[in-house]
Amino acid sequence: MAELSPMMKQYFETKKKYPDTILMFRLGDFYEMFFDDAVTVSRELELVLTGRACGQEERAPMCGVPFHSADSYMARLVAKGYKVAICEQMEDPALAKGLVKREVVRVLTPGTVIENSMLNEGRNNFLASVYFAGESAGVCFVDVSTGSVNLTELASPAVPDKIINEIGRFMPSEIVFNSASSSLTKVFSFISNKTEALAQELGDSYFDPRQSTETILAHFKKDSLSELELHEGSAAVPALGAALKYLTEVQRNDLENISSISFYSELNFMRLDVSALRNLEIVETLRNREKRGSLLWVLDKTRTPMGKRMIRAWLERPLIGMARITKRHNAVAELVSQPMVRQELGESMSGIHDLERLITRISFGTAGAKDLRALALAASCLPELKEKVSVLSSSLMRECAENIDALSDIYELIDAAIVEEPPFSVREGGMIKDGFHPELDSLRDIVLNGKDYIAAIQQQEQEKTGIAKLKIGYNRVFGYYIEVPNSYKELVPDEYIRKQTLANCERFITQELKDLEAKVLGAQDRIVKLEYEIFDDIRKRTGAELARVQRTAAAVAQLDVLCSFAQAALENNYVCPQMSAEPIVKIKEGRHPVVEKMLNGEPFVPNDTVLDCGDDRCAIITGPNMAGKSTYMRQVALICVMAQAGSFVPAASAELGIVDSVFTRIGASDDLSAGQSTFMVEMSEVASILNNATSRSLIIFDEIGRGTSTFDGMSIARAVLEYAADKKRIGAKTLFATHYHELTELEGQIDGVKNYNIAVKKRGDDITFLRRIVRGGADGSYGIEVAKLAGVPKPVVDRAKKVLKEIEESGLVLVREREPSTAAEPEAGQISFGQNSSNEIVEKLKVLDVNTLTPIEAMGVLYELTKSAKEI
Ligand SMILES: Nc1ncnc2c1ncn2[C@@H]1O[C@H](COP(=O)(O)OP(=O)(O)O)[C@@H](O)[C@H]1O
Ligand SMILES: [Mg+2]
């Protein structure tokens, strides 16, 4: 086998160190990729695949991108979930002896990028680090682009479920984990089905507890873990340690912007698991995963990128501490009552760019002059903003006023140094203002006036020699030269040095010309270098103020979100919820914040809610399809979430106790893609709710038991309701919509259960939805009427009515109309249905019309018949 070329050897040595990345290898003006990387990239980015001689018989597959436009190619690869290692030339190829030295200077990965082009302004970009240790787990989410670190420790029981919930909440774009985590099949099926995160196992050395402790202490410059609210032996330590180590490796940087940790526990936030977040459409819709149609869409009036990210985080993690919640409400109330101030604050904030991400890039040394200018522009809005917040008196507003730093020194520094519209590149000059640096000014004078000097020499030489056609020109080979037409050759003085003879002229140089040239050309090079040095110095001096900028950014974000809540409250007519120490949910004229905005012109009918831990623990809600059951239940849950996130709520009044979690079980048709049957998914969600809910929880069950046969479904629904309502088991506040009218029997039988239905008005075959919730069970299911309303053709509706009548008359009634409940209480856990007899089975068979049954229906009937038979 032939030897590889030296360059290829260098390539392979580098590639060996970064086997799981796409290696972009700098060759002059291009980044080249070879072999498998080239094939992958040419496919993913639709680039031409070529080849390059590599010393072997076959040419190496190769594809490349020009270095000046490489960013967008890199961004696309990272967005597709690839890791990209950037290998640069570490010396000037013109000066290098032999092979140019090359090194990987950074690895771009989805969870660790800081470039604007690879980030979404309104969302954090998290790297998750998961350390699983059996009984407990540490989970850490770092957004290196903003410097935020969220860290938690999860203890048994149900550690895998808790990991899933945290991942669902933060939606990281990349996850690293220790080897023990790889046994968590449930977690990984969640990651691959429900997230787009790139997941990879890191060697266990990354998670070594002792090394992690050292890494953490060194990074945060502390002497002990307790100064960071951490302790030895906590699973959070290796999770954080591994994240820091990994980030340092890919960033090649000391991560100065990561300067504090937010250590949170399940005790700080309302528990909203992944299905609740999705079902309640908190930040995106269930169907299209769009912001429009979500709660965030209604409430987000923020003006700054930091505010956009924070409002999302607040809605995803509502609080459970009374004091912190009411502090937010008080601030919103103050902003609602001061419309002028709020508007002015909004205007001041509109000019504030992404302070968090700007200061990150500045402190990492990757920011350009445009970034500095953007920071200065943001800083220029701060003094006014600070002054305006200072007139407000609620405690959160006072906190904001205190934490907003006017950053005037930073503004002045940047404004004095950097031109208004600097170029993108920091290596070509044109960034620094005149008058900022004396040496730069004098160099610029030489360059500027150099042309005049040349013109003066030209004139002087013309006069001296009497050659009117003598010209001074410039080319890259000899620099400046004097050109004399052949006809004047005789007049050329002796001191001219001949350089080139052309067909009709000759070119000369003189000492004087060369001296000037050295000065002029040298000045241009020197200017570019000096400008970079000055710029870098300004960047470093600005970067040194990182902590002040970060604190200001956080205060602006908070102010932005509270203003946004206030504006949404005014625009949508919300009220301040009254938080109560009692475990109650008392809502007068509550509305669904999203549905009310989606009803083109039609009025939304408000409804009251009373739930507590006593007689009104559990509401069974019946009513025809489309009546508004799901809307009503979600509205109650959303009002609780909004209140605990700090927002006002859509109601005439609301008195709310704090709920520790909201659980939902609502249709899951989309889960088929996850390879589980709908019913299986439904039951595993029910299981998770029953295992995790407490008496302080709010549970929403929307038509459980639908995915299986009627008797099965009804039995399960009833048993679940009994368990949830039972004070000895859970006793949670529960809203339970069902199409099983039998379950309305439970009022009076089970403590705390009340029946409600959503009223409809019936006239002949037609029904009108009144959308009003009233006491008592619904008096029928009105399926046929709803079908008619939906536009099902008349012959079908008529036929359905006839079939229904036949079935009712024949006794094949699987679900009987409710009879006034007899006092006898069933034994716990036992379910009473009509007695079956063999006669009944024969009757059922008689009326069956096999020709009209679909195979699935036939299976259902068969199943029920065999079941009835077994019960005889
Ligand atoms: N209170 C209300 N006021 C006005 N329209 C409503 C109200 N509640 C529901 N709706 C409308 O009725 C539709 C169906 O409601 P939904 O809650 O899905 O019914 P169900 O769950 O009973 O089948 C909603 O999409 C909405 O347009
Ligand atoms: Mg529904």
Side-chain angles (χ1 to χ4, degrees), residues 706-748:
R706 242 193 181 168
T708 185
S709 71
T710 309
F711 283 151
D712 265 11
M714 181 159 43
S715 315
I716 290 168
R718 174 168 173 157
V720 167
L721 178 68
E722 286 174 355
Y723 192 92
D726 187 349
K727 271 194 154 163
K728 290 196 284 299
R729 309 275 196 188
I730 301 179
K733 291 183 276 297
T734 308
L735 294 166
F736 194 97
T738 183
H739 56 288
Y740 299 123
H741 289 263
E742 283 66 19
L743 297 184
T744 55
E745 284 174 15
L746 295 176
E747 175 173 335

Side-chain angles (χ1 to χ4, degrees), residues 306-379:
M306 295 80 77
K308 276 207 166 33
R309 294 193 289 269
M310 189 177 274
I311 194 171
R312 182 182 274 268
W314 282 15
L315 293 178
E316 284 172 335
R317 289 187 285 282
L319 303 172
I320 50 177
M322 174 82 88
R324 291 177 68 200
I325 295 170
T326 42
K327 256 166 110 177
R328 288 188 188 172
H329 290 160
N330 292 342
V332 176
E334 186 174 30
L335 290 164
V336 164
S337 70
Q338 302 249 27
M340 281 298 289
V341 179
R342 196 187 68 251
Q343 198 179 337
E344 285 169 9
L345 289 173
E347 279 159 19
S348 301
M349 281 189 291
S350 303
I352 300 183
H353 292 258
D354 202 336
L355 287 176
E356 280 175 336
R357 284 181 176 161
L358 283 171
I359 197 65
T360 293
R361 287 200 301 276
I362 290 169
S363 94
F364 283 18
T366 61
K370 277 190 184 302
D371 292 322
L372 283 185
R373 218 46 250 198
L375 183 72
L377 186 63

